Amino acid sequence: MALRIDGKAIAAALRGEIAAEVETLKARGITPGLAVILVGEDPASQTYVRNKQKACQEVGFYAEQIDLPATTTQEELLAVVDRLNHRDDIHGILCQLPLPRGLDDSAVIAAISPDKDVDAFHAENVGHIMIGDQRFLPCTPAGVMELIHRSGISVEGKHCVVIGRSNIVGKPMAMLLLQENGTVTICHSRTKGLADICRQADILVAAVGRAKFVTADMVKAGATVIDVGINRDENGKLCGDVDFAAVEPIAGAITPVPGGVGPMTIALLLKNTLTAAKQQNGVE
Ligand code: GUN
C-alpha cells in the first residue's frame, strides 16, 4: 500500500514555521500584509479568497480583501492595483482569477509590481523561474515540491511526467522538477501515447482538471503520484485527477484529494508573502 502523503499535516507544519517567523518580524515592527482583490461574485472564487484571508489571519499577517463589483472597468481595477503597489503596509498583492468577462487577466497580472507578485504570475517572475533565480515560487508547484521533500522523496535522476501545461501549474511544475535534476516530460491534450508515457514515470503529477483521468494502468508500480486536480465525480463528491482507489494499491506514494496538494497552495502563498515582507524591509 502506498504512503499517503498528508498535505493537511505538512501544510500545518509549514504554517507553524511561518507563524514563528512572523513573531520575530513583528518584534522588529514588521507585519506582513497581503491584499486580495476579488472581482465579481463567483462562488468558487469567494471560497478560495475566504480561505486565503483566514490563513493569513491565523499566521498573524495583516490581510485586506478588496471586493469589487463584476461591473468594474479595466481602468478602475488597474487603479486599485496601482494604489496597492504604492502602499508600504501591503507586501503581497493577489487578484483572484479568473476575472469576470470583459476584464483582462494578463493586463492585471502585468500591472502588479513584480516585488509584490506573490502568485509569481508576472512575466518577470516567470522569467526568474526559468533561469532558476526566483524570489517567489509559484504556489501550487512549490507546494508539490514541499510535499515531495517532506516525504523524503528525491527527484534527482527520476523520470517526472507532468500532465497539463498551464501557466499556473504544468509549466512551472516542470521547471521546478528540472531544477532538482529530474528528467521531465510534459504531456497535454494532444500528446500521443499518453498512457505509455505516464507508465514510465517515477513521479507523476496530474494537473489536467478531469475527474479520475489517471487510471491504474497508467501508473508504474512504486511511483509517486501527485494529484493537483479538484473536481467533482459523478455523485458530486470532491475528487482529483487520479482514480485514487484504483491507483493507491500500485503507487509508492500518493496524495489524496482533498487533503493533498490543496492545503499546500495556501501555505506557499503565506510563505511568499512572508518572503515579500522580508525583501521589502531588507531582512535576510
Ligand atoms: N485562481 C485559481 N487559482 C489561483 C491562484 O493560485 N491565484 C490566483 N490569483 N487566482 C487563482
Side-chain angles (χ1 to χ4, degrees), residues 62-92:
Y62 170 68
E64 187 167 311
Q65 183 171 330
I66 296 123
D67 288 308
L68 300 172
T71 51
T72 303
T73 65
Q74 186 77 20
E75 290 68 32
E76 286 165 345
L77 180 53
L78 293 179
V80 169
V81 170
D82 189 55
R83 278 198 295 278
L84 294 168
N85 279 341
H86 288 94
R87 270 176 58 183
D88 289 341
D89 60 334
I90 295 295
H91 307 101

Side-chain angles (χ1 to χ4, degrees), residues 45 48 52 94-98 119 121 139-140 168 265:
S45 290
Y48 289 134
K52 287 170 186 176
L94 179 152
C95 181
Q96 187 66 25
L97 302 177
D119 267 324
F121 288 171
C139 299
T140 300
I168 295 184
T265 298

